[in-house]
Amino acid sequence: MGGENSKLAFRKCVFRLADQRSLPDTAEDAWSPFWLMPDSPHDVFSLVTPADIRRIRDTAQENFIKLMDKVFDRLLVLKASRDLAKNPTTTKQLLNCVRVLARLIPFVYEARSDGSTIEDIVLWTQRPRPGSGADYSLGKQLVSATIDLLFTSGFTVPQATVGEDTAVRYTIWENGVGQTSSLGSSKENVSNRIEVLRLLLVLCCKTMYVPPARSVAIANRALHTIAYNANKKMVLCLLCSLLNTSLKEHSQGWAIPYRNSTAINPADELTLHAMQALFIMLEYQTPATKGGQSSDAGSDATSAEESNANTPSMVLVTGTETGTQNLFRVFVSKLHRQQEFDYLIGNIMRLLEETMRSNLSILASVTKQPTRHVMPQEATILLWLLLENNSLFKEYVVDHNRSLRLFSVLLYFMLNGYTDPAQSGMVRTISHILHYLSEDGQFATRLMQPFDQSILPSQMRIVDASLTHADFMINTAFTLLCSSKPYLVPVYSNLLLLVRNVSPYLTQISQMTADKLLSLFDIISSPAFVISEPYHVRWLIYLIEVFDYVVHYRAIDNPHLMYSMVKARSCFVRLKAFDLDKAKGELAALREKKSKSDATRTIGSLGAKADAASVTPVPSLATLKPDDSSEGAASPALSDKARGKRPDPGPASTSDTREQATTSTAPKQASPGQFQPSTEWVFSWLPDLPLDPIIAVLDALSVHVDRISNDVQRSAELAPPTEPIPSDSGKSNLEPDQSDTKPADQTSTEPIATADPTLAIIHWLSSNAMTQAMPDLEDSMPEIRPRLQGMSPALVVWFKSLLWSMVYSSGVKPFGIWKNTHVRLFVIKSSQ
C-alpha cells in the first residue's frame, strides 16, 4: 500500500463497516477498497485488526456477512478471468480477496462473549448471492473455489498449453507419488500457492475454537466437504500434490546445514503449509451419529468427470458410497508401488538425517534460534500417518534394509528432545511409531542385530562394543523414564509397551542393560509407587510380562538378564506379598518426608549408573522411592539371606519396626485429588500377574547360582594368590576401582582378593544345564501376542491439539493469522 494517506483511507473503510449499519450492495466505495488497495498480506493483517473485526461482527453483523459475500463474489469473477496470468492487476486483486477472507474467517469460528458463533449464519445458511440473486451456501462454494485456486492455470500452476480451454487444471504439482515429472512452476506460482494454502488452513481451522472435550464430537464442515464430498480426481491430485511438495528436496548446492534467524524462504514455507494441510486432511474423521453413520457435514457430493489421465498408482475406489469415508485416507491406503514407497521413506529419512547433521555440525553451536527449514517433527508425523493408514507401507518399512537405521535415528531424536518441553510432541509421536512397529515380530527380531553407535553424538554413546539395537532401545527407555519429566508421562506407557512387545525375541541382552531393566522394575514394583497413581499398575503389568516372556521363551538366550532377575528375586517376592495397608503407610511416610508436596510423580533418579555386579535400590528418588529396607532391595543372590530365605528376624527386626512406623503415619482422610486405592482395586490386577512361574524359576536357579558362587569362592581360597578374575558383568566399566579404598589402619589379616563368580554363573546360565534345572513351565506358557496400539479418544484429542498447535505457531509470524483470537483447543503460553 502507498503512503500514510492511503493507509488512513483504508482504515476509514474498515471503520465505516462498524459505524454505518446495513450498507447496500451498491456501495462499491465501501467494498472495493478491500481488494483494490492492499499491496501485500502485511497490509491486510496489520490494517484490519482483531478489534476492528470483532466490532464489525458484533455491532454490524449484516455488514460483516455482506463483506464476506462481496469479497467472495469478486474472487469468483477474478478466478474466471481469461487474462489472469497476463494481468498483474487482476492477480493482485485476486490475492487481496484471498487475504481478506483469510483475515476474517477465524472470527467466524471464534465464540462471541455470549458463547455463540456466527459460523452457521455466515458459511452454511442459504442466502441470495450478490449480483445474481441465486441462493447459495458460502461455505461450500468457498471451499470448492479455494481448491480450484490451487489448480488455476496461470495462477498456481503453469499457464495452460495452446488449445487447452480450461481455467482449472487438476494436475499434480511435483514429481513423486503418482507423477514422474514436475510441472516446472514459477516463483509466482509458488508464492500464490502459499497464500491459497494459508486460506485453506484458515477455512478448516474451526477445530481450534472447539474445547478439547468436544473436538471429537463436533464435525468440521469445511474439512468434511474436502475429504468426504469431493470428486475423486480432485482428491487424488490434491493429495499427491501436497505429499510430493512436502517431501520435495530443495537443492542447496554445497551449503552447510546452518540454523539462521532469517525469514523462511518461499519453498520451505510452501513445504510447511503443504504438510500441515495434508496432516489435517488425513487426521480428520467425521463424528458418527447415533445410527452409526457420519454426521451430515455437507450433504451433496461434488460431481465431476473422473479422468484416468495423470492419476497416481492408487486404484480408484469402486463401490464406495461417496461421503462415508475420508477419501484421503482411502487413497493413501491404496498406495502399493515399490518406487513410491522408496520415494516416501527415502525423503522422510532425508528430512530426519538433515536435521541430525545440522544438530551435530560445528555451526549449529554458533546459534540456537529455532528454524522451520528442516522439519523433523513434521517428518515423524507424516511417517506415523502413513504407517497407520497403509499396511503395505508398514510391511515395506519393516522389511526395508534401512529399517534399523530409521529406528536408530528415531531414538536419537527421542534422546535429543526429551529435555525440551517444546519437543515433547515429537518425542511422543516417535514413541507411538516405535510401539506400532514393535507389533511386528519380524521387526522385533531385527532389533537383535548389532547397533552402530557411530551415528550418535559422543554424549549419547554407551561404552559397549557388543550393543544390540534392543540394548540401546532399553537404555533409551530407561533414560527417559529416569528423567521424570511431567510432560513425558504419556510417553512412558509407549516405551514400556515397546520393551514388552520386543521381549519374546530378546537375545543376549548385556549385563548393564539387564541391571537397568531390573532397577526400573525395583522402583515400579515398589508398593508406594504402585498405589500412587492408577496408571502405574499398567506399567507394572508391562514389565512383568517382559520377564514372563523371557523366562518362558528366552531364558537360555539371556544369561545376563536371568542373572539380574535371580539377584532381584526379592522384588518379585515383595510384589507377590503385596499389602495395601503397608503400601499406604509407606506412601504416607514418603509424602510427609517431602517438604514440598507437589503433584509431580516421578520414577526417580535411576539414572545413577546401574551397578554391574548387583542391582541395588536407588536412595535418591525424588518423591516415590521404594523402602530402603532389604525387603525391597534387588540384592545379589549369593546366599540364603540374599535370596530372601533368611529366617524370620522376629518382632524386633528393623524392617518390622519401619513398617509399624510407616503404617502409623497413614492419613486418616484422603487429600483432595489424590488417588485412593481400594482392596477391590488391588484384587482386580494382583491375582492376574504371572508371578508364580517367574518366582519358581528364580527359586530353582538361585540354588545353582549359590552353589557356583560357593564353589568359586572355595577354589579361590585354596588356590595360590593370583590376579583377580576379570568380571563379565557388563560390557561397561561401571564398578569403581576399590584398590585404594582400604583404610590405613586395616590389618593384613583380611583376604587379599575375593573371587568373582560372574563368569562361571553366566557360563552355566547359558548352558543346557540351566534349562534342565528349570521347572516345567508348559502349563503357564504365555501366548506371544503384542499389545496393539489403539486410537483412544484422549489420544485423538491430543493428536488434534498437536497438529493444530503446529498450524497456529507457524501462522504467528510474519502475519499472526490466529494471533489474539480466542483459541480453545489448546492453551497459548507467552514465551516471556
Side-chain angles (χ1 to χ4, degrees):
M1 194 172 288
E4 292 299 323
N5 290 335
S6 60
K7 292 181 180 179
L8 181 60
F10 184 73
R11 290 286 293 159
K12 288 181 179 179
C13 293
V14 176
F15 296 150
R16 182 182 176 186
L17 296 184
D19 297 336
Q20 188 174 343
R21 301 292 302 271
S22 302
L23 286 168
D25 290 345
T26 55
E28 289 300 322
D29 58 334
W31 313 118
S32 60
F34 286 92
W35 55 79
L36 292 176
M37 298 185 69
D39 292 327
S40 67
H42 183 267
D43 289 340
V44 174
F45 284 91
S46 62
L47 297 177
V48 185
T49 67
D52 296 331
I53 300 173
R54 291 192 184 99
R55 186 164 171 249
I56 300 170
R57 181 195 66 187
D58 297 340
T59 63
Q61 182 175 299
E62 69 283 357
N63 287 343
F64 184 91
I65 296 174
K66 194 162 293 183
L67 175 62
M68 295 274 294
D69 288 339
K70 293 289 289 186
V71 172
F72 175 66
D73 187 62
R74 183 62 181 170
L75 181 147
L76 291 181
V77 173
L78 296 168
K79 181 174 75 73
S81 175
R82 295 284 184 180
D83 64 343
L84 180 60
K86 302 176 182 179
N87 191 335
T89 302
T90 303
T91 302
K92 171 191 168 183
Q93 292 184 25
L94 179 57
L95 287 172
N96 281 336
C97 290
V98 169
R99 295 160 184 166
V100 170
L101 289 170
R103 185 55 167 155
L104 297 177
I105 289 173
F107 298 89
V108 173
Y109 296 131
E110 180 190 70
R112 295 180 289 185
S113 57
D114 61 355
S116 63
T117 69
I118 61 171
E119 178 196 355
D120 286 339
I121 299 173
V122 175
L123 297 180
W124 311 111
T125 300
Q126 295 281 338
R127 59 177 176 273
R129 176 182 167 184
S132 67
D135 286 348
Y136 87 122
S137 170
L138 176 60
K140 291 180 181 179
Q141 298 295 323
L142 182 54
V143 168
S144 178
T146 303
I147 298 297
D148 285 348
L149 281 175
L150 290 172
F151 301 97
T152 298
S153 178
F155 184 63
T156 50
V157 297
Q159 180 70 38
T161 57
V162 177
E164 197 173 348
D165 187 20
T166 178
V168 178
R169 299 171 59 206
Y170 287 132
T171 184
I172 300 173
W173 298 340
E174 304 290 347
N175 63 298
V177 176
Q179 181 79 307
T180 57
S181 61
S182 176
L183 290 178
S185 304
S186 64
K187 292 190 295 185
E188 290 75 17
N189 294 150
V190 170
S191 178
N192 294 340
R193 285 177 197 167
I194 292 172
E195 300 228 34
V196 179
L197 279 175
R198 188 182 296 134
L199 174 60
L200 182 65
L201 289 170
V202 169
L203 265 173
C204 299
C205 75
K206 174 185 175 178
T207 307
M208 281 191 193
Y209 300 93
V210 177
R214 301 180 61 199
S215 61
V216 179
I218 295 180
N220 187 319
R221 295 188 183 183
L223 271 174
H224 182 96
T225 302
I226 299 170
Y228 284 75
N229 290 332
N231 73 77
K232 293 175 183 177
K233 181 174 180 179
M234 183 277 288
V235 171
L236 286 171
C237 291
L238 179 58
L239 169 64
C240 294
S241 294
L242 295 177
L243 187 57
N244 296 345
T245 302
S246 300
L247 296 176
K248 181 182 179 181
E249 182 175 6
H250 306 300
S251 176
Q252 297 180 349
W254 292 97
I256 299 174
Y258 177 65
R259 300 177 189 175
N260 60 65
S261 56
T262 59
I264 186 171
N265 68 60
D268 291 324
E269 189 174 7
L270 177 61
T271 297
L272 182 61
H273 288 329
M275 274 194 169
Q276 292 171 348
L278 178 64
F279 294 162
I280 64 174
M281 302 300 173
L282 288 175
E283 182 275 336
Y284 181 71
Q285 288 288 348
T286 296
T289 61
K290 293 181 179 179
Q293 299 296 322
S294 295
S295 60
D296 184 13
S299 56
D300 298 329
T302 304
S303 60
E305 276 191 2
E306 294 174 359
S307 171
N308 290 328
N310 196 27
T311 58
S313 68
M314 295 170 284
V315 179
L316 292 176
V317 176
T318 57
T320 301
E321 183 182 353
T322 303
T324 60
Q325 296 186 68
N326 182 331
L327 291 184
F328 284 84
R329 289 190 171 194
V330 170
F331 292 142
V332 165
S333 71
K334 298 297 179 181
L335 280 168
H336 64 278
R337 287 181 182 170
Q338 174 82 22
Q339 60 267 32
E340 291 173 343
F341 286 164
D342 289 340
Y343 172 81
L344 292 173
I345 195 63
N347 282 283
I348 289 173
M349 286 289 294
R350 175 184 55 79
L351 285 173
L352 295 173
E353 291 181 333
E354 279 180 1
T355 307
M356 283 186 66
R357 289 192 296 271
S358 176
N359 291 342
L360 299 176
S361 68
I362 297 176
L363 288 178
S365 61
V366 177
T367 178
K368 296 297 183 183
Q369 286 92 349
T371 179
R372 306 301 292 173
H373 292 227
V374 184
M375 298 166 284
Q377 179 160 331
E378 286 81 359
T380 56
I381 291 174
L382 178 58
L383 176 60
W384 188 20
L385 287 170
L386 291 173
L387 289 170
E388 285 280 356
N389 289 286
N390 191 308
S391 58
L392 291 178
F393 181 71
K394 180 183 178 182
E395 293 176 7
Y396 169 85
V397 170
V398 169
D399 295 336
H400 197 269
N401 56 7
R402 298 184 69 191
S403 61
L404 293 180
R405 174 80 173 186
L406 174 64
F407 179 80
S408 304
V409 170
L410 292 175
L411 289 181
Y412 160 80
F413 279 103
M414 293 192 81
L415 288 170
N416 187 64
Y418 79 94
T419 57
D420 183 6
Q423 298 189 50
S424 61
M426 181 175 66
V427 173
R428 185 171 178 181
T429 301
I430 293 174
S431 73
H432 285 294
I433 293 172
L434 296 179
H435 175 205
Y436 190 58
L437 291 175
S438 73
E439 297 171 6
D440 190 290
Q442 182 179 350
F443 181 79
T445 302
R446 298 191 71 177
L447 296 183
M448 304 309 123
Q449 296 182 23
F451 178 68
D452 180 11
Q453 300 190 68
S454 62
I455 69 169
L456 301 175
S458 57
Q459 65 269 22
M460 290 186 186
R461 297 179 185 177
I462 301 173
V463 185
D464 190 340
S466 60
L467 206 69
T468 67
H469 287 77
D471 277 308
F472 192 71
M473 172 196 72
I474 295 173
N475 279 273
T476 301
F478 180 86
T479 300
L480 268 69
L481 285 160
C482 294
S483 68
S484 300
K485 307 290 185 183
Y487 53 83
L488 290 181
V489 168
V491 177
Y492 295 159
S493 289
N494 283 334
L495 292 174
L496 293 172
L497 280 169
L498 172 62
V499 177
R500 183 263 178 212
N501 285 347
V502 173
S503 60
Y505 312 93
L506 289 176
T507 58
Q508 301 304 322
I509 293 299
S510 70
Q511 188 68 60
M512 178 183 61
T513 303
D515 287 341
K516 287 184 176 181
L517 191 59
L518 268 299
S519 293
L520 192 62
F521 176 68
D522 186 19
I523 301 300
I524 291 181
S525 65
S526 64
F529 188 83
V530 170
I531 68 170
S532 59
E533 291 291 353
Y535 55 82
H536 288 170
V537 170
R538 294 202 304 271
W539 301 355
L540 175 63
I541 292 172
Y542 301 154
L543 273 182
I544 288 291
E545 290 179 353
V546 170
F547 302 127
D548 192 36
Y549 277 128
V550 170
V551 163
H552 285 88
Y553 292 100
R554 295 292 177 178
I556 196 170
D557 297 323
N558 292 283
H560 294 289
L561 182 54
M562 293 303 299
Y563 184 38
S564 294
M565 289 177 64
V566 170
K567 292 186 291 184
R569 174 190 172 278
S570 57
C571 292
F572 296 93
V573 174
R574 176 188 63 189
L575 182 59
K576 179 69 175 176
F578 182 87
D579 184 277
L580 180 59
D581 292 334
K582 292 181 180 179
K584 287 181 177 179
E586 180 183 331
L587 181 59
L590 291 170
R591 283 175 172 165
E592 184 176 346
K593 184 178 179 181
K594 183 175 174 60
S595 56
K596 296 180 180 180
S597 181
D598 52 23
T600 304
R601 262 73 62 182
T602 176
I603 294 180
S605 303
L606 287 174
K609 296 180 180 179
D611 193 306
S614 64
V615 183
T616 57
V618 182
S620 57
L621 296 178
T623 56
L624 296 177
K625 71 181 184 71
D627 193 354
D628 291 338
S629 67
S630 57
E631 288 293 330
S635 54
L638 302 179
S639 64
D640 284 345
K641 181 177 180 179
R643 295 200 323 267
K645 295 185 175 181
R646 57 190 178 280
D648 186 1
S653 69
T654 305
S655 60
D656 282 358
T657 303
R658 181 180 285 112
E659 287 173 359
Q660 292 172 8
T662 56
T663 304
S664 65
T665 60
K668 295 181 180 180
Q669 201 168 10
S671 300
Q674 287 184 353
F675 171 63
Q676 290 299 313
S678 63
T679 304
E680 292 77 14
W681 174 78
V682 173
F683 278 98
S684 68
W685 56 266
L686 183 59
D688 295 329
L689 296 180
L691 292 171
D692 289 336
I694 297 175
I695 294 175
V697 169
L698 300 183
D699 284 342
L701 297 183
S702 61
V703 174
H704 296 275
V705 169
D706 285 344
R707 176 183 55 77
I708 295 172
S709 177
N710 293 331
D711 290 345
V712 170
Q713 185 62 40
R714 282 194 298 270
S715 299
E717 292 172 354
L718 296 175
T722 184
E723 292 294 326
I725 300 175
S727 172
D728 184 38
S729 60
K731 304 177 179 183
S732 63
N733 300 323
L734 297 178
E735 293 200 36
D737 183 6
Q738 300 181 2
S739 59
D740 300 326
T741 60
K742 184 169 64 176
D745 59 347
Q746 187 169 338
T747 64
S748 60
T749 58
E750 187 176 339
I752 298 175
T754 302
D756 187 352
T758 302
L759 280 175
I761 293 173
I762 295 300
H763 181 268
W764 184 84
L765 288 173
S766 58
S767 66
N768 290 329
M770 189 269 286
T771 58
Q772 295 172 4
M774 291 178 63
D776 184 12
L777 301 175
E778 187 68 28
D779 294 338
S780 61
M781 192 73 69
E783 179 184 357
I784 297 180
R785 183 172 56 186
R787 284 187 177 266
L788 306 180
Q789 181 172 256
M791 293 295 288
S792 65
L795 181 55
V796 171
V797 170
W798 167 78
F799 194 47
K800 283 181 183 290
S801 301
L802 175 65
L803 296 183
W804 283 108
S805 65
M806 292 165 56
V807 174
Y808 179 94
S809 61
S810 67
V812 170
K813 293 181 180 180
F815 310 121
I817 301 174
W818 294 278
K819 189 176 181 180
N820 296 323
T821 63
H822 303 323
V823 173
R824 305 174 71 187
L825 182 63
F826 43 83
V827 178
I828 309 298
K829 292 184 179 180
S830 174
S831 59
Q832 298 179 353

